[in-house]
Amino acid sequence: MDLEYQLTLKLLAALAIGLLIGSERGWSGREDGEGTRVAGLRTFGIIGLLGGVSVIAGQQFGQLLIVGVFLAVAMLVIVAHVLDFKSNQDRGTTTAFAMLLTFLLSAWAAGGQQLPALGVATVVVALLGYKRALHRWLEKLTQEEFSSSVVLLLISVVLLPLLPDQGYGPWGALNPYWIWWMVVLICSLSFAGYIAIKLTGHRLGTLITAIAGGMASSTAVTVTLANFSRQHNNKHLFVAGILVAASIMFVRVIIEVSVVNAALLPLLWLPLLLMFAGLIVAAGIFWRHHQQAPTDLSLEMKLPNPLQLSTAIKFGSLLAVILLLTRALTDWLGDSGVYILAVVSGLMDVDAITLSLAKMAQGEIAPQVAAMGILIASVTNTLVKGVIFAVIVRMKQNSWFSIWRSLWLLGVLLLALSPGILAGVIISAGI
């Protein structure tokens, strides 16, 4: 009974894969006349069952049966595609490849890997169903953006495995493999936000745009929104956007620490979560008081392309310098040197010091010191955004007194971060 039950599950999974992919193909060709489609729901369902039965039968009659059936299916698919091309001049091969993939996925499911096979089938359906959206997204990418992405991808894939995975220089602080791997990580995180801004354009609201832009560069978002705030009397909406973008930085820090040294998270997750929540609450308060304001700011948001080779090299160089300085100041000044560097680094960038301290916490410095350094850098970088806002908003008046009056956002940021700062001090002190 158990064997029959297992066979039934395998065949049902194989059939489900065929029907899943076939439903999308049938829906996309729903306007075609009956009998004009190469394959629809029934054909894909049969292919799915055929793949499942082939694997089960192959366990009894030999694996060559599976190969033979697949070759037969492939030949039929090729013939059907050629006939369709002659009659309709349809050069598309998507359905043909989908049929072959359906057979293989169904065979994989019948072989005992039902969940992975169904997962891949779902991805296939998504790729087939979002054809127009994917094409529109590609049309929004410029030649420079596409080329820079390919160049960095090639260098990463080809160069990364060839780099030596060992320390060089003073204190053995420079590991070429690790540094470039961190460059790829940071560029990937930034590129996710950059692409989100490119693809959504001006169709999303200010806060959603701030979230996407915050993943790429929360400082760039701050500058953009501060400029908009200077041009409009009501500043609440733009301040809310700045607070949201600043909160996304803490999400980046959690991701970076998770990749480099997940063992450090118990010391960081609560303070970072409290800071994130504090900024979100503050953003919500400002959002409730905003009046009508333009929502097409994303059209003028100038974010640097994070996949430019020059950008990657600059970050790699900065990371190398931070690594050297961290080792040097730790050796010369102890824990105080780490905290001093965290403040200085936080004025410019959080990613480099976060990655550096997370790596060093694996045995070179105490985890509590690394966690406190990351928190100090994060708080410093967030407070800098308040200063940037004040300077830009009062830039035209050219008055230090006017700039001082606009530092109220700095107080809001400090108040929102206070619970997280307190939690970080308590946890790092071991109280």
Side-chain angles (χ1 to χ4, degrees):
M1 183 64 67
D2 289 341
L3 179 60
E4 293 178 355
Y5 177 73
Q6 293 295 328
L7 289 177
T8 301
L9 284 181
K10 291 178 179 179
L11 288 176
L12 285 176
L15 176 61
I17 289 172
L19 294 177
L20 183 64
I21 299 177
S23 63
E24 191 287 326
R25 289 288 81 191
W27 184 86
S28 64
R30 63 191 182 281
E31 297 180 357
D32 297 339
E34 185 67 27
T36 60
R37 292 191 300 266
V38 174
L41 182 62
R42 291 178 300 169
T43 303
F44 274 91
I46 292 173
I47 292 175
L49 270 179
L50 185 60
V53 171
S54 299
V55 169
I56 294 173
Q59 296 173 354
Q60 181 177 357
F61 299 107
Q63 301 297 320
L64 288 178
L65 175 65
I66 304 174
V67 178
V69 174
F70 176 75
L71 291 176
V73 171
M75 289 298 298
L76 288 174
V77 169
I78 293 173
V79 171
H81 177 69
V82 171
L83 293 177
D84 185 57
F85 173 73
K86 288 183 177 180
S87 59
N88 301 325
Q89 296 295 309
D90 184 6
R91 300 176 184 271
T93 58
T94 303
T95 299
F97 283 113
M99 294 168 71
L100 297 178
L101 189 56
T102 299
F103 180 91
L104 293 175
L105 289 175
S106 301
W108 192 22
Q113 300 294 325
Q114 291 92 344
L115 288 180
L118 285 167
V120 174
T122 303
V123 174
V124 171
V125 171
L127 290 174
L128 294 172
Y130 286 95
K131 170 186 175 180
R132 293 181 180 177
L134 291 172
H135 287 178
R136 286 197 302 268
W137 291 350
L138 284 175
E139 290 172 358
K140 292 185 178 181
L141 296 179
T142 65
Q143 177 64 40
E144 180 184 0
E145 291 163 348
F146 183 78
S147 300
S148 61
S149 305
V150 173
V151 169
L152 185 61
L153 179 63
L154 287 174
I155 291 178
S156 300
V157 172
V158 175
L159 181 62
L160 189 60
L162 301 178
L163 293 175
D165 189 7
Q166 65 183 64
Y168 293 94
W171 300 281
L174 303 179
N175 184 315
Y177 180 90
W178 185 84
I179 289 175
W180 193 254
W181 165 228
M182 292 302 101
V183 169
V184 174
L185 170 66
I186 297 303
C187 288
S188 299
L189 289 175
S190 300
F191 193 61
Y194 179 81
I195 287 297
I197 291 293
K198 291 287 295 186
L199 299 184
T200 55
H202 65 280
R203 292 176 291 112
L204 298 182
T206 301
L207 296 188
I208 303 300
T209 303
I211 292 174
M215 283 299 295
S217 174
S218 56
T219 301
V221 174
T222 300
V223 172
T224 300
L225 294 182
N227 280 313
F228 271 84
S229 180
R230 188 180 64 183
Q231 299 167 12
H232 299 85
N233 292 328
N234 189 283
K235 298 177 172 57
H236 292 92
L237 176 63
F238 305 111
V239 171
I242 292 173
L243 291 169
V244 169
S247 71
I248 300 302
M249 182 195 67
F250 295 98
V251 177
R252 283 177 63 110
V253 170
I254 290 177
I255 295 174
E256 292 163 10
V257 173
S258 301
V259 172
V260 178
N261 185 5
L264 201 58
L265 285 177
L267 297 172
L268 284 171
W269 72 266
L270 181 58
L272 292 175
L273 182 61
L274 288 174
M275 293 181 189
F276 172 81
L279 291 172
I280 292 297
V281 170
I285 294 173
F286 279 93
W287 168 259
R288 288 187 60 186
H289 291 86
H290 90 278
Q291 298 176 1
Q292 187 66 32
T295 58
D296 61 345
L297 59 92
S298 57
L299 289 175
E300 299 187 30
M301 185 172 290
K302 303 299 182 181
L303 295 177
N305 181 3
L307 289 192
Q308 285 182 340
L309 185 58
S310 59
T311 303
I313 293 175
K314 288 177 182 177
F315 178 77
S317 302
L318 175 62
L319 180 57
V321 170
I322 294 296
L323 284 169
L324 282 173
L325 288 176
T326 305
R327 300 290 180 88
L329 291 177
T330 302
D331 190 42
W332 299 337
L333 303 176
D335 297 346
S336 300
V338 174
Y339 302 146
I340 294 172
L341 182 61
V343 173
V344 176
S345 179
L347 296 173
M348 303 175 293
D349 181 83
V350 174
D351 297 324
I353 190 67
T354 297
L355 297 172
S356 177
L357 293 179
K359 178 176 174 58
M360 292 185 66
Q362 294 174 334
E364 299 170 56
I365 61 175
Q368 292 80 3
V369 174
M372 181 55 68
I374 292 173
L375 292 176
I376 290 174
S378 301
V379 170
T380 301
N381 190 265
T382 304
L383 295 179
V384 165
K385 294 177 175 61
V387 178
I388 292 174
F389 175 83
V391 172
I392 292 178
V393 167
R394 296 297 178 180
M395 193 178 295
K396 282 187 177 181
Q397 299 185 18
N398 195 24
S399 169
W400 284 107
F401 177 72
S402 297
I403 293 175
W404 176 258
R405 286 173 52 197
S406 296
L407 285 175
W408 56 268
L409 180 57
L410 190 63
V412 172
L413 291 169
L414 188 58
L415 183 63
L417 298 176
S418 295
I421 295 173
L422 180 60
V425 172
I426 293 174
I427 293 174
S428 297
I431 300 176

